[in-house]
Amino acid sequence: MSVFVSGATGFIAQHIVGQLLDQDYKVIGSARSQAKIDDLQAKFGNNPNLSMVIVPDIAKLDAFDEAFKAHGKEIKYVLHTASPFEFNVTDYEKDLLIPARNGTLGILEAIKKYAADTVERVVITSSFAAIMDLMNLDKDDLVFTEESWNPDTWESCQRNGPSAYCGSKKIAEEAAWKFYNENKDKVKFKLSAVNPVYVFGPQRFDSDVTKTLNTSCEFINAALHSTPENETQSFSGGYVDVRDVARAHLYAFQKENTIGQRLLMSQGRFSTQDILNYLNADFPALKGTIPVGNPAEGIEHSTKGAKTDNHKTKEILGFEFMGLKQTIDDTAAQILKHEGRL
Ligand code: NDP
């Protein structure tokens, strides 16, 4: 029996696929094109346990039908990671909302149609974006937990790219739980969600280090390519390492205590200044090439603004998450080595 991973070419998904293959699972991944399939299979050394299918566009509600018609009876676990994660979009519905929602509904419908008796566990890669309230992040008394939901609607989230992305993740995850509750008697599977804050960490393969990285790692990449004269825009959020997020996806279908849960993956907070502080302290070769900023203004240990309480998730998972220094340093070291700067 196999694990199906949608969007297997993605930053987080490649770590998930790697951990699954390390644990001797048979994996069926989906990717948008044959070229992407060939590239991914080559990176995993043409491992015979990794097979792939083409799913060109998850915005189409029947996108997963062919894959599940052909392989549904071999699939025991489904990890749905595919969803657009971009802020620089102009058509919020076409670029974010529709693929996020339809991708989720489409894969669940395909399971119901072709694998209702075989698929036992489904894990949706949701996001902290589905949990937080973007308009109230400055409120000191606000606490986000596994029970919190982003209050935006399809209409109200279309303010700008980040807001529409948050809306897309909320709407997609909400649709998944609704589908699950309405179809419990027609499908065998149990549902879990993984809700990470910004995910840092190295790309699974050094060859994936490109000029511009995936949206979350690009914060560190941009800081590495900023100059003392040309600082990057200041930004802050929560962080967690990709290796921990991948591990949580495996626990989410392997353990009983993750059934019906939203796993809020966060280890703490960061700002652009915190990234600069670690880069300047830990990579002497960067001295004078990147900004120093105002080191005292880092927010890693600040208690201002809305808080995140994910002690429930940490108890369920029972493993330590990596800290900010390690995730920044590992991300930066891979980029600097690739560029011959280390
Ligand atoms: P990536 O952009 O690296 O991966 C996204 C994946 O989704 C890729 O495989 C991409 O395919 C696929 N995809 C996107 N749109 C479509 C589409 N219309 N049709 C088919 N496939 C599509 O991002 P991440 O790995 O960071 O994100 C993976 C998941 O994790 C997403 O659901 C994201 O929302 C979620 N997430 C990410 C966080 C982060 O900080 N990175 C934080 C919280 C949640 P292709 O490779 O061809 O572009």
Side-chain angles (χ1 to χ4, degrees):
M1 296 302 276
S2 301
V3 186
F4 186 89
V5 181
S6 71
T9 48
F11 164 59
I12 296 174
Q14 290 195 35
H15 283 272
I16 295 174
V17 171
Q19 291 188 14
L20 288 168
L21 294 174
D22 287 346
Q23 293 186 25
D24 287 332
Y25 283 99
K26 281 192 187 320
V27 179
I28 302 175
S30 75
R32 294 202 231 203
S33 67
Q34 189 59 45
K36 290 187 181 198
I37 287 177
D38 294 344
D39 178 58
L40 191 72
Q41 286 189 314
K43 284 191 293 195
F44 280 109
N46 294 310
N47 187 319
N49 279 344
L50 175 62
S51 60
M52 297 285 299
V53 292
I54 297 181
V55 174
D57 184 8
I58 57 169
K60 296 202 170 106
L61 271 169
D62 62 357
F64 289 99
D65 280 14
E66 228 175 277
F68 277 79
K69 198 172 177 182
H71 302 283
K73 298 293 170 223
E74 306 155 42
I75 298 168
K76 193 165 175 184
Y77 310 113
V78 172
L79 311 183
H80 177 51
T81 82
S83 205
F85 182 16
E86 281 174 60
F87 294 148
N88 293 325
V89 296
T90 42
D91 189 332
Y92 304 131
E93 294 196 343
K94 181 171 158 288
D95 297 331
L96 292 170
L97 289 158
I98 293 173
R101 182 197 59 192
N102 288 4
T104 305
L105 282 176
I107 200 165
L108 296 177
E109 283 290 355
I111 296 168
K112 185 177 156 187
K113 265 193 259 176
Y114 302 110
D117 297 331
T118 39
V119 172
E120 293 181 8
R121 302 286 292 268
V122 174
V123 181
I124 300 288
T125 312
S126 184
S127 172
F128 182 63
I131 286 179
M132 69 168 171
D133 179 355
L134 202 52
M135 303 301 276
N136 285 302
L137 293 178
D138 56 342
K139 297 243 161 50
D140 288 338
D141 56 352
L142 193 59
V143 182
F144 301 119
T145 72
E146 292 83 357
E147 275 72 48
S148 311
W149 281 91
N150 166 352
D152 262 326
T153 62
W154 185 276
E155 291 74 26
S156 75
C157 75
Q158 297 188 43
R159 292 184 292 270
N160 51 46
S163 162
Y165 169 71
C166 292
S168 79
K169 297 304 289 182
K170 182 255 179 114
I171 286 159
E173 191 197 334
E174 197 175 45
W177 289 112
K178 186 166 179 279
F179 180 98
Y180 177 61
N181 287 323
E182 288 174 358
N183 290 281
K184 267 182 186 159
D185 55 336
K186 301 182 193 80
V187 294
K188 190 174 180 185
F189 73 79
K190 304 272 186 263
L191 186 67
S192 309
V194 180
N195 300 61
V197 293
Y198 285 111
V199 183
F200 296 153
Q203 306 293 314
R204 181 65 175 70
F205 298 100
D206 293 347
S207 57
D208 280 329
V209 176
T210 44
K211 192 163 171 272
T212 306
L213 293 182
N214 59 291
T215 301
S216 50
C217 292
E218 186 53 28
F219 290 121
I220 297 172
N221 195 35
L224 279 172
H225 294 104
S226 60
T227 62
E229 303 76 40
N230 183 14
E231 292 195 19
T232 53
Q233 230 186 341
S234 167
F235 196 86
S236 63
Y239 76 88
V240 65
D241 188 272
V242 67
R243 293 157 288 191
D244 291 332
V245 173
R247 195 171 170 193
H249 279 80
L250 270 69
Y251 276 41
F253 75 81
Q254 291 171 330
K255 310 250 181 217
E256 292 290 306
N257 64 353
T258 52
I259 290 173
Q261 301 294 339
R262 304 171 85 202
L263 302 172
L264 201 180
M265 299 298 295
S266 172
Q267 179 56 10
R269 303 203 301 169
F270 77 96
S271 65
T272 319
Q273 184 62 55
D274 294 294
I275 295 175
L276 290 175
N277 288 353
Y278 281 116
L279 295 180
N280 278 299
D282 298 342
F283 296 92
L286 292 174
K287 198 172 163 43
T289 67
I290 61 168
V292 171
N294 297 306
E297 288 180 8
I299 64 154
E300 186 181 0
H301 304 293
S302 162
T303 53
K304 286 206 188 112
K307 321 281 180 294
T308 298
D309 176 357
N310 64 338
H311 76 272
K312 181 177 163 188
T313 296
K314 289 186 166 180
E315 268 170 37
I316 290 173
L317 294 177
F319 65 83
E320 291 285 316
F321 297 177
M322 286 177 210
L324 189 58
K325 175 181 163 67
Q326 186 177 356
T327 195
I328 289 178
D329 287 359
D330 290 355
T331 313
Q334 185 189 46
I335 298 167
L336 293 172
K337 269 190 210 139
H338 187 78
E339 293 176 350
R341 293 162 76 191
L342 200 65

